[in-house]
Amino acid sequence: MEPGASPTARALMTLDLLQGHPGITADRLADRLGVSERAARRYIGILREAGIPVEAVRGPYGGYRLGRGLRLPPLTFTAAEALGLVMAVLDGHHDAGDPSDPVGSALGKIMRALPEPVAAQAEAVRRTTAPVPDRGAARPDPGITAALVQACSAHRRARLGYRSEAGNERTIEVDPWAVVVRHGRWYLLCWSHTSAGRRAYRVDRVRDVRVLDVPFEPPAGLDPAAVLEEHLAVGWDHEVEVVVEAPAERVAGWLSRVMGRPEPLDAATTRLVGSTNNPAWYAEELARLPVPYRIVRCPDLVRAARTLGERLLAASAGAADPS
């Protein structure tokens, strides 16, 4: 740091070092600031006076780190970081320019706190980019989502007011394992005591949350994303069985878990077992396979596959032979 830097500049540099190096010792902090240890401790005191919680941990592995307080410490962004944040918000199809929207309001606060040269590029992208709404996405209530995430983190049972796809209101009691975002939709993966089974509830259909003082232990080694996809592959109206001429590990790499469970028949052949409510979509996904396959079970899927094949043949009718 510059020898003539002001105390304010050194205090901000101290904050930046604490954010980037949790547990930094007084001697290392002094070395990075170019001051004595006594002066480094003085800058720690300045931060504390400003309401920023700085904790001191004693012992051979101790040092200074930022604690969790009621106030968010000042944040510093590079131009690339700020632009990346704005792009991530826009990519989520939020109305980033609407100050009444929680996301737009929060982003506006960050933009106003950024230095002008850094904010200029991000603000230009924010104002001139028009995200196309994702009709398949559903925006859950931020407060409800936060309550569910808190219940997951604290391992506490929750009672939910839930509205089904048909519009029926009911109360369900769950052990919330994780909140998972998949293709623009938010799911609560949980054990439902009401249904006595594993369930994935749409967060946008949760109307209210009451966290109960009942602890639980989530399954050991839980992979929420993998379990959600496996869950979404079963229980639909149309039971499917397909034989694919490829090893099971290759089929698993080509298809999403929501397609079903690949089971090896032998070293070179796989049986795919699953279910779907949309045979047309399932046929299109199967058509992505780069190897031959045969539909063993599901008449509706057979009809959907034939319709897809006829459509593709019709699209190529009359076209010049590329060879």
Side-chain angles (χ1 to χ4, degrees):
M1 195 166 187
E2 293 294 328
S6 69
T8 301
R10 283 201 168 94
L12 290 175
M13 180 62 179
T14 301
L15 175 60
D16 189 59
L17 289 169
L18 291 172
Q19 289 175 319
H21 305 276
I24 189 170
T25 59
D27 59 332
R28 285 184 56 210
L29 185 60
D31 184 61
R32 297 292 294 271
L33 293 172
V35 299
S36 66
E37 287 189 29
R38 181 178 179 181
R41 292 190 179 92
R42 187 164 64 247
Y43 295 128
I44 292 292
I46 291 173
L47 294 178
R48 287 170 172 164
E49 288 175 3
I52 298 171
V54 181
E55 298 175 351
V57 180
R58 298 184 179 278
Y61 302 102
Y64 293 108
R65 65 184 67 246
L66 292 176
R68 293 191 176 273
L70 297 177
R71 297 174 58 186
L72 181 69
L75 302 176
T76 57
F77 294 95
T78 65
E81 289 171 339
L83 185 58
L85 177 61
V86 174
M87 291 174 66
V89 172
L90 292 170
D91 193 48
H93 308 295
H94 291 285
D95 190 350
D98 182 1
S100 65
D101 180 84
V103 175
S105 175
L107 186 60
K109 291 179 181 179
I110 293 175
M111 300 292 288
R112 289 190 294 273
L114 294 173
E116 182 59 34
V118 176
Q121 297 178 50
E123 183 64 24
V125 171
R126 181 192 184 199
R127 295 299 182 191
T128 59
T129 303
V132 178
D134 182 357
R135 292 183 176 86
R139 304 292 170 218
D141 179 86
I144 285 176
T145 306
L148 291 174
V149 170
Q150 182 181 12
C152 293
S153 178
H155 298 171
R156 288 294 183 271
R157 188 174 298 177
R159 186 171 295 136
L160 315 179
Y162 193 77
R163 178 180 295 169
S164 69
E165 186 174 6
N168 299 321
E169 301 276 354
R170 58 188 176 126
T171 300
I172 51 182
E173 201 161 296
V174 302
D175 290 346
W177 295 345
V179 173
V180 186
V181 184
R182 182 183 179 275
H183 300 320
R185 290 190 174 177
W186 295 63
Y187 295 88
L188 174 67
L189 183 66
C190 62
W191 177 268
S192 172
H193 292 276
T194 305
S195 302
R198 184 182 69 185
R199 292 292 184 270
Y201 293 114
R202 289 265 298 270
V203 177
D204 59 292
R205 293 178 183 158
V206 178
R207 295 300 177 234
D208 57 80
V209 180
R210 180 185 174 191
V211 180
L212 307 177
D213 192 20
V214 180
F216 71 90
E217 282 299 323
L222 177 69
D223 182 341
V227 173
L228 175 67
E229 295 223 320
E230 291 170 2
H231 178 81
L232 294 177
V234 299
W236 303 105
D237 292 342
H238 303 279
E239 297 289 337
V240 174
E241 182 179 348
V242 180
V243 173
V244 184
E245 295 183 14
E249 61 271 15
R250 296 186 67 189
V251 174
W254 289 327
L255 297 176
S256 166
R257 287 188 179 92
V258 298
M259 296 287 287
R261 183 178 66 257
E263 303 172 344
L265 291 175
D266 54 45
T269 312
T270 300
R271 176 171 57 218
L272 178 66
V273 179
S275 66
T276 182
N277 263 9
N278 190 340
W281 168 83
Y282 203 99
E284 292 171 359
E285 292 299 305
L286 286 176
R288 299 173 183 269
L289 288 169
V291 294
Y293 58 90
R294 176 170 52 89
I295 300 170
V296 177
R297 181 174 48 158
C298 187
D300 284 344
L301 178 59
V302 170
R303 285 190 286 271
R306 287 175 179 167
T307 300
L308 175 62
E310 290 167 359
R311 193 170 82 236
L312 293 176
L313 287 173
S316 62
D321 190 341
S323 61

Short mmCIF file of all heavy atoms in Angstrom, two decimals, residues 134-175:
data_model
loop_
_atom_site.label_atom_id
_atom_site.label_comp_id
_atom_site.label_asym_id
_atom_site.label_seq_id
_atom_site.Cartn_x
_atom_site.Cartn_y
_atom_site.Cartn_z
N ASP A 134 -39.49 -16.40 -19.24
CA ASP A 134 -39.51 -17.85 -19.36
C ASP A 134 -40.88 -18.32 -18.88
O ASP A 134 -41.18 -18.29 -17.69
CB ASP A 134 -38.40 -18.46 -18.50
CG ASP A 134 -38.35 -19.97 -18.60
OD1 ASP A 134 -39.21 -20.54 -19.30
OD2 ASP A 134 -37.44 -20.57 -17.99
N ARG A 135 -41.72 -18.76 -19.82
CA ARG A 135 -43.09 -19.14 -19.45
C ARG A 135 -43.12 -20.39 -18.58
O ARG A 135 -44.09 -20.65 -17.90
CB ARG A 135 -43.92 -19.36 -20.72
CG ARG A 135 -44.18 -18.07 -21.49
CD ARG A 135 -45.05 -18.31 -22.70
NE ARG A 135 -45.36 -17.05 -23.39
CZ ARG A 135 -44.60 -16.50 -24.30
NH1 ARG A 135 -43.46 -17.08 -24.62
NH2 ARG A 135 -44.95 -15.38 -24.88
N GLY A 136 -42.05 -21.19 -18.62
CA GLY A 136 -42.02 -22.39 -17.80
C GLY A 136 -41.55 -22.13 -16.38
O GLY A 136 -41.69 -22.98 -15.51
N ALA A 137 -40.97 -20.95 -16.18
CA ALA A 137 -40.44 -20.64 -14.85
C ALA A 137 -41.56 -20.13 -13.94
O ALA A 137 -42.57 -19.61 -14.41
CB ALA A 137 -39.34 -19.59 -14.95
N ALA A 138 -41.38 -20.31 -12.66
CA ALA A 138 -42.35 -19.83 -11.67
C ALA A 138 -41.59 -19.19 -10.53
O ALA A 138 -40.67 -19.77 -9.99
CB ALA A 138 -43.21 -20.99 -11.15
N ARG A 139 -41.97 -17.95 -10.20
CA ARG A 139 -41.24 -17.19 -9.19
C ARG A 139 -41.84 -17.40 -7.81
O ARG A 139 -42.96 -16.96 -7.54
CB ARG A 139 -41.25 -15.71 -9.53
CG ARG A 139 -40.71 -15.38 -10.91
CD ARG A 139 -39.23 -15.64 -11.01
NE ARG A 139 -38.79 -15.55 -12.40
CZ ARG A 139 -37.89 -16.33 -12.94
NH1 ARG A 139 -37.34 -17.28 -12.21
NH2 ARG A 139 -37.53 -16.20 -14.20
N PRO A 140 -41.13 -18.07 -6.92
CA PRO A 140 -41.65 -18.23 -5.56
C PRO A 140 -41.51 -16.95 -4.77
O PRO A 140 -40.71 -16.07 -5.12
CB PRO A 140 -40.78 -19.34 -4.98
CG PRO A 140 -39.50 -19.26 -5.74
CD PRO A 140 -39.86 -18.79 -7.12
N ASP A 141 -42.27 -16.84 -3.68
CA ASP A 141 -42.18 -15.68 -2.81
C ASP A 141 -40.83 -15.70 -2.08
O ASP A 141 -40.46 -16.72 -1.49
CB ASP A 141 -43.32 -15.73 -1.80
CG ASP A 141 -43.27 -14.55 -0.84
OD1 ASP A 141 -43.81 -13.49 -1.17
OD2 ASP A 141 -42.68 -14.72 0.26
N PRO A 142 -40.06 -14.59 -2.10
CA PRO A 142 -38.74 -14.59 -1.45
C PRO A 142 -38.80 -14.88 0.04
O PRO A 142 -37.94 -15.57 0.59
CB PRO A 142 -38.22 -13.17 -1.71
CG PRO A 142 -38.94 -12.71 -2.93
CD PRO A 142 -40.30 -13.33 -2.85
N GLY A 143 -39.84 -14.36 0.72
CA GLY A 143 -39.96 -14.60 2.16
C GLY A 143 -40.20 -16.06 2.48
O GLY A 143 -39.61 -16.62 3.40
N ILE A 144 -41.08 -16.69 1.71
CA ILE A 144 -41.37 -18.11 1.91
C ILE A 144 -40.14 -18.94 1.58
O ILE A 144 -39.79 -19.89 2.30
CB ILE A 144 -42.58 -18.53 1.05
CG1 ILE A 144 -43.86 -17.99 1.68
CG2 ILE A 144 -42.65 -20.05 0.90
CD1 ILE A 144 -45.11 -18.25 0.87
N THR A 145 -39.46 -18.59 0.51
CA THR A 145 -38.26 -19.33 0.13
C THR A 145 -37.20 -19.23 1.22
O THR A 145 -36.56 -20.22 1.58
CB THR A 145 -37.70 -18.78 -1.19
OG1 THR A 145 -38.73 -18.79 -2.19
CG2 THR A 145 -36.52 -19.62 -1.67
N ALA A 146 -37.01 -18.02 1.77
CA ALA A 146 -36.03 -17.84 2.84
C ALA A 146 -36.38 -18.67 4.07
O ALA A 146 -35.50 -19.26 4.70
CB ALA A 146 -35.93 -16.36 3.20
N ALA A 147 -37.67 -18.73 4.40
CA ALA A 147 -38.11 -19.52 5.56
C ALA A 147 -37.83 -21.01 5.34
O ALA A 147 -37.40 -21.72 6.26
CB ALA A 147 -39.59 -19.29 5.82
N LEU A 148 -38.05 -21.48 4.12
CA LEU A 148 -37.79 -22.90 3.82
C LEU A 148 -36.30 -23.20 3.87
O LEU A 148 -35.87 -24.24 4.40
CB LEU A 148 -38.35 -23.25 2.44
CG LEU A 148 -39.88 -23.25 2.32
CD1 LEU A 148 -40.29 -23.47 0.87
CD2 LEU A 148 -40.48 -24.33 3.21
N VAL A 149 -35.49 -22.30 3.32
CA VAL A 149 -34.04 -22.50 3.35
C VAL A 149 -33.54 -22.51 4.79
O VAL A 149 -32.68 -23.32 5.16
CB VAL A 149 -33.33 -21.40 2.52
CG1 VAL A 149 -31.82 -21.46 2.75
CG2 VAL A 149 -33.64 -21.57 1.04
N GLN A 150 -34.09 -21.62 5.62
CA GLN A 150 -33.70 -21.57 7.03
C GLN A 150 -34.07 -22.88 7.73
O GLN A 150 -33.29 -23.41 8.53
CB GLN A 150 -34.38 -20.39 7.72
CG GLN A 150 -34.00 -20.24 9.19
CD GLN A 150 -34.71 -19.08 9.86
OE1 GLN A 150 -35.64 -18.52 9.29
NE2 GLN A 150 -34.28 -18.71 11.04
N ALA A 151 -35.26 -23.41 7.45
CA ALA A 151 -35.68 -24.68 8.05
C ALA A 151 -34.77 -25.82 7.61
O ALA A 151 -34.44 -26.70 8.41
CB ALA A 151 -37.13 -24.98 7.67
N CYS A 152 -34.37 -25.81 6.34
CA CYS A 152 -33.44 -26.83 5.84
C CYS A 152 -32.11 -26.74 6.58
O CYS A 152 -31.55 -27.76 7.01
CB CYS A 152 -33.21 -26.66 4.34
SG CYS A 152 -34.64 -26.98 3.29
N SER A 153 -31.61 -25.52 6.70
CA SER A 153 -30.30 -25.31 7.34
C SER A 153 -30.33 -25.68 8.81
O SER A 153 -29.37 -26.24 9.34
CB SER A 153 -29.89 -23.85 7.16
OG SER A 153 -28.66 -23.58 7.80
N ALA A 154 -31.44 -25.37 9.50
CA ALA A 154 -31.54 -25.63 10.93
C ALA A 154 -32.00 -27.04 11.24
O ALA A 154 -32.03 -27.45 12.41
CB ALA A 154 -32.51 -24.62 11.57
N HIS A 155 -32.36 -27.81 10.18
CA HIS A 155 -32.86 -29.18 10.37
C HIS A 155 -34.07 -29.18 11.31
O HIS A 155 -34.12 -29.92 12.29
CB HIS A 155 -31.76 -30.11 10.91
CG HIS A 155 -30.60 -30.27 9.99
ND1 HIS A 155 -29.43 -30.92 10.36
CD2 HIS A 155 -30.41 -29.86 8.71
CE1 HIS A 155 -28.58 -30.89 9.36
NE2 HIS A 155 -29.15 -30.26 8.34
N ARG A 156 -35.06 -28.34 10.96
CA ARG A 156 -36.28 -28.25 11.75
C ARG A 156 -37.49 -28.58 10.86
O ARG A 156 -37.57 -28.14 9.71
CB ARG A 156 -36.46 -26.84 12.33
CG ARG A 156 -35.50 -26.52 13.47
CD ARG A 156 -35.78 -27.38 14.70
NE ARG A 156 -34.94 -27.07 15.84
CZ ARG A 156 -33.75 -27.62 16.08
NH1 ARG A 156 -33.27 -28.53 15.23
NH2 ARG A 156 -33.06 -27.30 17.15
N ARG A 157 -38.41 -29.34 11.42
CA ARG A 157 -39.63 -29.70 10.69
C ARG A 157 -40.43 -28.43 10.40
O ARG A 157 -40.33 -27.44 11.12
CB ARG A 157 -40.45 -30.69 11.52
CG ARG A 157 -41.65 -31.28 10.79
CD ARG A 157 -42.31 -32.37 11.63
NE ARG A 157 -41.38 -33.48 11.87
CZ ARG A 157 -41.66 -34.54 12.60
NH1 ARG A 157 -42.86 -34.63 13.20
NH2 ARG A 157 -40.78 -35.49 12.77
N ALA A 158 -41.23 -28.49 9.33
CA ALA A 158 -42.03 -27.32 8.95
C ALA A 158 -43.44 -27.75 8.58
O ALA A 158 -43.67 -28.86 8.10
CB ALA A 158 -41.38 -26.60 7.77
N ARG A 159 -44.39 -26.85 8.84
CA ARG A 159 -45.79 -27.06 8.46
C ARG A 159 -46.10 -26.07 7.34
O ARG A 159 -45.92 -24.86 7.49
CB ARG A 159 -46.71 -26.85 9.65
CG ARG A 159 -48.17 -27.19 9.38
CD ARG A 159 -48.98 -27.16 10.67
NE ARG A 159 -48.54 -28.21 11.58
CZ ARG A 159 -48.36 -28.03 12.89
NH1 ARG A 159 -48.55 -26.83 13.42
NH2 ARG A 159 -47.99 -29.03 13.67
N LEU A 160 -46.54 -26.59 6.20
CA LEU A 160 -46.74 -25.77 5.01
C LEU A 160 -48.21 -25.68 4.65
O LEU A 160 -48.95 -26.68 4.70
CB LEU A 160 -45.99 -26.36 3.81
CG LEU A 160 -44.55 -26.84 4.01
CD1 LEU A 160 -44.01 -27.39 2.70
CD2 LEU A 160 -43.68 -25.70 4.52
N GLY A 161 -48.64 -24.49 4.26
CA GLY A 161 -49.91 -24.33 3.57
C GLY A 161 -49.62 -24.45 2.09
O GLY A 161 -48.80 -23.69 1.55
N TYR A 162 -50.24 -25.40 1.42
CA TYR A 162 -49.86 -25.74 0.04
C TYR A 162 -51.09 -25.77 -0.86
O TYR A 162 -52.15 -26.27 -0.46
CB TYR A 162 -49.16 -27.10 0.02
CG TYR A 162 -48.45 -27.42 -1.27
CD1 TYR A 162 -47.22 -26.85 -1.57
CD2 TYR A 162 -49.00 -28.31 -2.19
CE1 TYR A 162 -46.56 -27.14 -2.75
CE2 TYR A 162 -48.34 -28.63 -3.37
CZ TYR A 162 -47.13 -28.04 -3.65
OH TYR A 162 -46.47 -28.34 -4.82
N ARG A 163 -50.92 -25.26 -2.07
CA ARG A 163 -51.98 -25.29 -3.07
C ARG A 163 -51.54 -26.20 -4.22
O ARG A 163 -50.50 -25.97 -4.84
CB ARG A 163 -52.28 -23.90 -3.61
CG ARG A 163 -53.37 -23.88 -4.70
CD ARG A 163 -53.62 -22.47 -5.20
NE ARG A 163 -54.17 -21.62 -4.14
CZ ARG A 163 -54.28 -20.31 -4.23
NH1 ARG A 163 -53.85 -19.69 -5.32
NH2 ARG A 163 -54.80 -19.61 -3.24
N SER A 164 -52.30 -27.24 -4.48
CA SER A 164 -51.95 -28.20 -5.53
C SER A 164 -52.15 -27.58 -6.91
O SER A 164 -52.73 -26.49 -7.05
CB SER A 164 -52.78 -29.47 -5.40
OG SER A 164 -54.13 -29.18 -5.72
N GLU A 165 -51.71 -28.31 -7.94
CA GLU A 165 -51.87 -27.83 -9.32
C GLU A 165 -53.35 -27.65 -9.66
O GLU A 165 -53.72 -26.77 -10.43
CB GLU A 165 -51.22 -28.81 -10.29
CG GLU A 165 -51.21 -28.35 -11.73
CD GLU A 165 -50.44 -29.29 -12.64
OE1 GLU A 165 -50.02 -30.37 -12.16
OE2 GLU A 165 -50.26 -28.94 -13.81
N ALA A 166 -54.20 -28.48 -9.04
CA ALA A 166 -55.65 -28.38 -9.28
C ALA A 166 -56.30 -27.25 -8.47
O ALA A 166 -57.48 -26.99 -8.63
CB ALA A 166 -56.31 -29.70 -8.94
N GLY A 167 -55.52 -26.59 -7.60
CA GLY A 167 -56.05 -25.48 -6.82
C GLY A 167 -56.56 -25.86 -5.46
O GLY A 167 -57.15 -25.03 -4.77
N ASN A 168 -56.34 -27.12 -5.03
CA ASN A 168 -56.81 -27.56 -3.72
C ASN A 168 -55.83 -27.12 -2.63
O ASN A 168 -54.62 -27.30 -2.77
CB ASN A 168 -56.94 -29.09 -3.70
CG ASN A 168 -57.96 -29.58 -4.72
OD1 ASN A 168 -59.00 -28.96 -4.91
ND2 ASN A 168 -57.65 -30.68 -5.40
N GLU A 169 -56.37 -26.54 -1.56
CA GLU A 169 -55.55 -26.08 -0.44
C GLU A 169 -55.44 -27.19 0.61
O GLU A 169 -56.44 -27.85 0.93
CB GLU A 169 -56.19 -24.84 0.21
CG GLU A 169 -56.37 -23.66 -0.73
CD GLU A 169 -55.11 -22.83 -0.85
OE1 GLU A 169 -54.14 -23.12 -0.12
OE2 GLU A 169 -55.11 -21.88 -1.67
N ARG A 170 -54.23 -27.41 1.13
CA ARG A 170 -54.06 -28.40 2.19
C ARG A 170 -52.86 -28.03 3.05
O ARG A 170 -52.03 -27.20 2.66
CB ARG A 170 -53.89 -29.81 1.62
CG ARG A 170 -52.72 -29.98 0.67
CD ARG A 170 -52.76 -31.34 0.03
NE ARG A 170 -51.72 -31.53 -0.97
CZ ARG A 170 -50.85 -32.52 -0.97
NH1 ARG A 170 -50.88 -33.41 0.01
NH2 ARG A 170 -49.96 -32.64 -1.93
N THR A 171 -52.78 -28.65 4.21
CA THR A 171 -51.67 -28.44 5.12
C THR A 171 -50.83 -29.71 5.17
O THR A 171 -51.37 -30.80 5.32
CB THR A 171 -52.18 -28.11 6.53
OG1 THR A 171 -52.97 -26.91 6.47
CG2 THR A 171 -51.02 -27.90 7.49
N ILE A 172 -49.52 -29.55 5.01
CA ILE A 172 -48.63 -30.71 5.02
C ILE A 172 -47.49 -30.45 5.99
O ILE A 172 -47.05 -29.31 6.17
CB ILE A 172 -48.07 -31.01 3.60
CG1 ILE A 172 -47.47 -29.74 2.98
CG2 ILE A 172 -49.13 -31.59 2.71
CD1 ILE A 172 -46.94 -29.96 1.58
N GLU A 173 -47.02 -31.51 6.62
CA GLU A 173 -45.91 -31.41 7.57
C GLU A 173 -44.73 -32.18 7.01
O GLU A 173 -44.85 -33.35 6.61
CB GLU A 173 -46.33 -31.99 8.92
CG GLU A 173 -45.48 -31.49 10.08
CD GLU A 173 -46.17 -31.69 11.42
OE1 GLU A 173 -47.22 -31.06 11.65
OE2 GLU A 173 -45.62 -32.47 12.23
N VAL A 174 -43.56 -31.52 6.96
CA VAL A 174 -42.42 -32.10 6.25
C VAL A 174 -41.13 -31.93 7.05
O VAL A 174 -41.01 -31.02 7.88
CB VAL A 174 -42.24 -31.44 4.87
CG1 VAL A 174 -43.49 -31.59 4.02
CG2 VAL A 174 -41.86 -29.96 5.00
N ASP A 175 -40.17 -32.81 6.76
CA ASP A 175 -38.77 -32.60 7.13
C ASP A 175 -38.09 -32.04 5.89
O ASP A 175 -37.84 -32.78 4.92
CB ASP A 175 -38.11 -33.92 7.54
CG ASP A 175 -38.62 -34.46 8.85
OD1 ASP A 175 -39.28 -33.71 9.58
OD2 ASP A 175 -38.37 -35.64 9.14
#
